[in-house]
Amino acid sequence: MILTVTMNPSVDIGYRLETFLLDDVNRVTDVSKTAGGKGLNVARVIHDLGLEVGATGIIGGTLGNFITEKLAEQHLREYFFKINKESRNCIAILHEGKQTEILEKGPHISEEETAAFLEYFQQLLETENISVLTISGSLPKGMTADVYKRLISLANQKDIPVVLDTSGSVLIEVLEDSSLKIAAIKPNYDELSAIENKELSTNPSEWQEILETPRYNQIDWVITSLGAAGAFAKHKHDFYQVSIPSIEVVNPVGSGDATVAGIAVALNQALAPEELLRTAMTTGMLNTMEMTTGTVNKDLFHEYFNQVTIKKL
Ligand code: ATP
């Protein structure tokens, strides 16, 4: 089973309004409430593709219970560590073609809770047969990059490939630890620029030199996703320019998570490099074609898989 990590999941509430009135009462008839978090998007896409997947992280309170109920409804196996604090709500108000978001930070995780979660996670790797681990998103308050480093190191001890999709200082700190082995990272252009602490050239072929620096040595795959322009990827010492067909996009949110799901699925099946890239691009594209974030239509997989073009540089 592929295991996805979401350390700070949420109940995502969507309110659709004709007009959003500030300093007044807004009555909502169109409400959606779903289990949210990047790792949960990854898990849903893997599930849609028909592979076994489990989701872990930390949840608590009545919102935590709501998240587990939603996952059960979707037949997603959950292995969340439960704490005595309330998980968070994230509200998106859709109005007049705009989206106004109100995001809670979520619970503060104490040192004791962190230690208990890590113990629990270690046990999970012992008792379940995990083929690939994905780690997505930011950490809750109270946790430092050390938590992700520990998860990766525990997976390394069991030879479980790790796909890491996080950003900012946490990603930089993890990459600084050369003892950790990472199967893949999937930054987008902004995230790669942030790692390098400079605005990169918009011509990806000029990134080869950067990606050959020691920072990326312990990572098998660096797949920089470029939205409609596909991706620029490094695998060991090989570089690939990946192009995708022009498609009708319904909702692109979560395409990065769907790409991570594709990478995990390809690692799970031990696919060859070009097949891995095709799979990752296809799951990203299929996600953009669905209204619901983190969903793909498996029936369209081969049609789009065959339209991805890869140029080895
Ligand atoms: P997000 O933060 O919304 O999850 P991201 O910035 O991490 O996304 P993107 O580079 O936007 O990731 O998208 C990931 C992949 O999804 C792309 O490499 C591509 O395969 C697919 N994709 C995204 N946007 C489009 C688009 N407009 N047309 C076709 N494919 C797309």
Side-chain angles (χ1 to χ4, degrees):
M1 148 178 109
I2 300 171
L3 184 66
T4 71
V5 174
T6 317
M7 291 311 300
N8 200 8
S10 54
V11 174
D12 286 355
I13 304 178
Y15 292 142
R16 197 174 287 274
L17 293 169
E18 289 275 306
T19 348
F20 182 36
L21 306 171
L22 271 180
D23 200 21
D24 207 338
V25 173
N26 292 272
R27 292 191 196 280
V28 193
T29 46
D30 189 350
V31 180
S32 74
K33 292 186 182 174
T34 54
K38 288 170 70 62
L40 294 181
N41 292 336
V42 176
R44 274 189 283 261
V45 171
I46 296 170
H47 180 71
D48 283 352
L49 293 172
L51 277 93
E52 279 200 51
V53 61
T56 188
I58 293 183
I59 53 171
T62 47
L63 296 181
N65 290 341
F66 181 86
I67 292 170
T68 54
E69 279 166 28
K70 285 283 158 194
L71 296 179
E73 275 171 27
Q74 293 168 331
H75 307 288
L76 274 179
R77 255 192 269 165
E78 65 89 5
Y79 299 86
F80 275 91
F81 182 69
K82 319 289 184 304
I83 58 167
N84 253 338
K85 289 173 186 164
E86 197 64 53
S87 288
R88 60 184 178 144
N89 277 314
C90 288
I91 302 172
I93 305 165
L94 306 161
H95 56 101
E96 301 122 18
K98 300 183 183 125
Q99 179 157 334
T100 302
E101 296 191 14
I102 299 165
L103 309 180
E104 292 179 23
K105 280 194 168 160
H108 184 284
I109 309 297
S110 68
E111 273 179 33
E112 293 73 29
E113 286 160 337
T114 299
F117 169 73
L118 289 172
E119 177 73 38
Y120 167 85
F121 181 83
Q122 187 167 8
Q123 278 304 313
L124 200 55
L125 295 196
E126 292 298 332
T127 51
E128 298 296 324
N129 188 7
I130 312 292
S131 54
V132 179
L133 180 72
T134 72
I135 301 174
S136 302
S138 55
L139 285 158
K141 282 178 294 168
M143 282 188 162
T144 66
D146 285 347
V147 172
Y148 279 171
K149 287 193 208 174
R150 181 79 184 130
L151 299 187
I152 296 167
S153 133
L154 288 169
N156 285 170
Q157 284 165 28
K158 298 197 81 65
D159 281 330
I160 300 168
V162 179
V163 186
L164 176 67
D165 184 21
T166 188
S167 55
S169 59
V170 171
L171 177 58
I172 292 170
E173 263 192 67
V174 174
L175 298 188
E176 270 165 10
D177 187 338
S178 58
S179 70
L180 300 173
K181 202 172 155 7
I182 299 169
I185 61 170
K186 192 227 67 65
N188 58 26
Y189 169 81
D190 290 338
E191 288 160 352
L192 191 65
S193 295
I195 301 173
E196 291 301 321
N197 198 22
K198 65 177 179 210
E199 185 100 350
L200 295 183
S201 146
T202 47
N203 179 3
S205 57
E206 289 173 25
W207 302 349
Q208 290 196 20
E209 216 171 294
I210 289 170
L211 295 176
E212 267 167 345
T213 54
R215 196 202 295 273
Y216 303 96
N217 276 355
Q218 84 271 30
I219 312 169
D220 284 347
W221 278 102
V222 180
I223 301 178
T224 308
S225 66
L226 304 166
F232 181 78
K234 172 184 178 247
H235 179 235
K236 302 198 170 140
H237 295 292
D238 296 330
F239 288 89
Y240 300 89
Q241 182 79 55
V242 190
S243 309
I244 55 177
S246 163
I247 55 175
E248 200 159 318
V249 173
V250 178
N251 175 13
V253 178
S255 304
D257 303 331
T259 304
V260 167
I263 298 169
V265 165
L267 290 171
N268 181 71
Q269 335 269 81
L271 296 186
E274 299 204 357
E275 308 277 285
L276 180 144
L277 288 170
R278 275 183 217 283
T279 305
M281 290 298 100
T282 306
T283 47
M285 281 190 283
L286 293 183
N287 176 74
T288 71
M289 295 161 76
E290 302 293 322
M291 196 55 223
T292 313
T293 301
T295 323
V296 295
N297 180 351
K298 188 184 174 198
D299 296 341
L300 299 176
F301 187 88
H302 286 289
E303 181 183 338
Y304 287 89
F305 182 90
N306 291 328
Q307 292 181 57
V308 177
T309 34
I310 297 174
K311 192 169 135 206
K312 194 168 174 192
L313 303 173

